[in-house]
Amino acid sequence: MKEILLCKYGELTLKGLNRGYFEKLLRREMEKRLKLAGHFSVSAMQSTIYVVPQDEVADIDEALRLCRKIFGITAVARAAETEKDIEAIKALAKVYLPPFLKPYSTFKADARRSDKRFPLTSPQISAQVGGAVLESMPRLKVEMTHPDVTVMTEIREEKAYLHAGSFPGAGGMPSGSNGKGLLLLSGGIDSPVAGFMMAKRGVTIEAVHFESYPYTSDQAREKVIELARLVSEYCGRIRVHVISLTHLQETLRDTCNEEYFTLLLRRSMMRLAERVAEATYCQALITGEAVGQVASQTMQALGVTDSVVSRPVFRPCIGMDKEEIITIARRIGTFETSILPYEDCCTVFTPRHPKTRPDLEKVLAEEKKYDFAALEDEAFASRYAVDADAYEGL
């Protein structure tokens, strides 16, 4: 008996004449990621990617886990293949499906006949396979409306395939299909979710993290790199650029009008982020901001910070409330790391009364009091990069 994975994709089918390009990107990403599970072949046919183990060492369980986290895949089925003969299909159903059906009380048999030359119709195939399942597991009950599990028979061009339902995939678009963006990655809940959501749309992610040592700790930096690693399980390698803002923040803390502290700091962060974006060929900046969540995220404040950069700023969380963001963070596995109690450079010098509806002219007047070019050159010179998926801590 030969087991393979059938990986289905949805949105790619709408790409018309460009579909081949997106399929090629998806296959390339899958081939790269599946090396972690052993030797697999990857091929595409009829809106499905076939992942086939090439030796006994190939770990199909790990391959299934990896495929479910690859953007562009909407569903993954672990299936057994056989000849396109109804007796062979029934024999396979009796021995292959029972281990998967043990936890359930009811089932439904369904079929999809892509090869119309097959002599039986889809309802006829379903009836025969359902009968074979009942012969091997007579305790099961047939339930056509709300079954616990659906047994699927797929008659394709070369072989027939049997599986007990599919697992949801990550969805979205293949990594690298929609440019490259620089994520401003803090240690909070929102920015990893923002990175995930943009990566889901096919954007390759690079990240920048601002620290303020010794006000922020080594553990805070490691927490951020771990967050990048968790997101990279979906989108591939993420390189994190770390920049020290200690002197810049101390200068603002000691001398600036308190209500402008956050605005001036955020504008510096955006300028520095754009310099990193230029150096790393990123076409856009990505942040985890949501309208009204904190004082620096009012419409007026966001307009003031955006005015210092020429690249577009993507904010996929902009219209979400905190519970919606937390739900995604839990689903992608970043929430528990995000809530670890380590410092963040944006909170170490938090002003008591920040400006929530700033006037740009007044902000510019305050900004002229400082040599931000020199402060930012000093900060940018501190930059170093870490590959999140290869990081082993300090």
Side-chain angles (χ1 to χ4, degrees):
M1 182 184 354
K2 185 175 183 179
E3 273 194 302
I4 73 167
L5 300 180
L6 300 174
C7 301
K8 312 297 179 69
Y9 48 80
E11 192 172 346
L12 269 65
T13 61
L14 306 176
K15 292 303 177 182
L17 296 177
N18 293 323
R19 177 170 163 177
Y21 164 74
F22 290 97
E23 287 180 337
K24 182 178 179 181
L25 285 177
L26 179 55
R27 289 199 308 272
R28 184 185 303 163
E29 181 68 15
M30 293 181 72
E31 288 168 351
K32 180 172 66 176
R33 304 271 287 278
L34 284 167
K35 289 178 181 178
L36 297 173
H39 187 200
F40 289 85
S41 68
V42 179
S43 59
M45 188 184 303
Q46 296 177 312
S47 300
T48 299
I49 291 184
Y50 296 73
V51 175
V52 182
Q54 297 299 293
D55 53 41
E56 296 296 324
V57 181
D59 186 343
I60 198 163
D61 291 312
E62 178 64 6
L64 172 62
R65 188 190 73 83
L66 291 169
C67 286
R68 292 187 63 192
K69 289 188 171 185
I70 295 175
F71 290 124
I73 299 297
T74 59
V76 184
R78 180 173 179 166
E81 72 172 31
T82 187
E83 298 303 316
K84 291 191 295 184
D85 173 82
I86 192 59
E87 294 304 321
I89 295 169
K90 288 162 60 178
L92 179 63
K94 291 178 181 180
V95 297
Y96 179 66
L97 293 175
F100 296 99
L101 302 181
K102 279 182 180 179
Y104 305 113
S105 300
T106 63
F107 84 104
K108 171 186 175 181
D110 204 350
R112 184 175 296 115
R113 188 181 59 143
S114 300
D115 182 0
K116 303 303 181 185
R117 297 169 299 177
F118 193 76
L120 300 181
T121 64
S122 293
Q124 290 171 331
I125 297 167
S126 300
Q128 296 238 22
V129 173
V133 170
L134 288 173
E135 284 182 30
S136 61
M137 300 189 73
R139 69 168 183 81
L140 284 177
K141 304 295 183 184
V142 176
E143 170 56 59
M144 301 303 291
T145 306
H146 300 292
D148 294 333
V149 62
T150 297
V151 170
M152 177 63 71
T153 306
E154 300 193 32
I155 308 296
R156 292 180 167 268
E157 288 299 316
E158 297 181 357
K159 299 284 184 177
Y161 301 92
L162 269 175
H163 58 84
S166 58
F167 299 91
M173 298 294 293
S175 295
S177 60
N178 279 310
K180 186 177 181 184
L182 182 72
L183 172 67
L184 279 71
L185 182 60
S186 72
I189 297 169
D190 306 337
S191 56
V193 170
F196 168 84
M197 293 175 70
M198 291 307 301
K200 186 174 181 178
R201 298 311 306 157
V203 176
T204 300
I205 301 296
E206 197 108 354
V208 60
H209 172 64
F210 298 103
E211 65 176 6
S212 298
Y213 187 82
Y215 304 103
T216 58
S217 64
D218 293 339
Q219 291 92 338
R221 183 195 316 115
E222 291 183 8
K223 167 186 171 180
V224 169
I225 295 169
E226 172 63 8
L227 287 171
R229 188 195 67 77
L230 291 168
V231 176
S232 75
E233 291 186 0
Y234 291 89
C235 62
R237 189 189 75 170
I238 295 178
R239 176 167 289 178
V240 182
H241 300 261
V242 182
I243 293 178
S244 174
L245 290 182
T246 305
H247 186 210
L248 189 152
Q249 285 189 280
E250 288 175 335
T251 301
L252 292 177
R253 176 200 62 187
D254 293 340
T255 58
C256 88
N257 184 332
E258 182 187 43
E259 65 181 4
Y260 288 103
F261 175 90
T262 300
L263 289 165
L264 297 181
L265 176 62
R266 293 290 298 174
R267 282 166 65 87
S268 265
M269 286 179 168
M270 295 297 275
R271 283 191 291 261
L272 286 164
E274 186 155 57
R275 290 174 70 169
V276 176
E278 183 174 355
T280 56
Y281 307 100
C282 293
Q283 295 126 326
L285 304 180
I286 304 165
T287 80
E289 293 158 316
V291 167
Q293 188 174 131
V294 296
S296 63
Q297 295 175 20
T298 64
M299 279 195 181
Q300 295 92 329
L302 293 174
V304 165
T305 58
D306 282 5
S307 67
V308 301
V309 296
S310 58
R311 281 168 173 74
V313 181
F314 294 140
R315 295 183 171 95
C317 301
I318 194 70
M320 301 171 68
D321 63 36
K322 199 67 175 183
E323 285 305 313
E324 292 172 310
I325 297 171
I326 288 173
T327 297
I328 297 173
R330 289 186 187 277
R331 176 164 57 84
I332 66 176
T334 57
F335 178 75
E336 294 300 328
T337 301
S338 289
I339 62 174
L340 292 174
Y342 300 126
E343 314 84 354
D344 185 293
C345 83
C346 293
T347 59
V348 292
F349 300 128
T350 304
R352 290 167 297 174
H353 303 293
K355 200 80 169 175
T356 58
R357 293 176 174 79
D359 178 88
L360 180 58
E361 293 302 318
K362 292 181 180 178
V363 174
L364 291 173
E366 186 70 23
E367 198 168 62
K368 287 179 180 178
K369 299 176 183 178
Y370 303 90
D371 187 356
F372 273 103
L375 289 168
E376 289 165 12
D377 283 345
E378 178 188 358
F380 193 75
S382 73
R383 176 174 66 111
Y384 64 93
V386 177
D387 287 334
D389 57 347
Y391 189 64
E392 297 181 355
L394 298 176

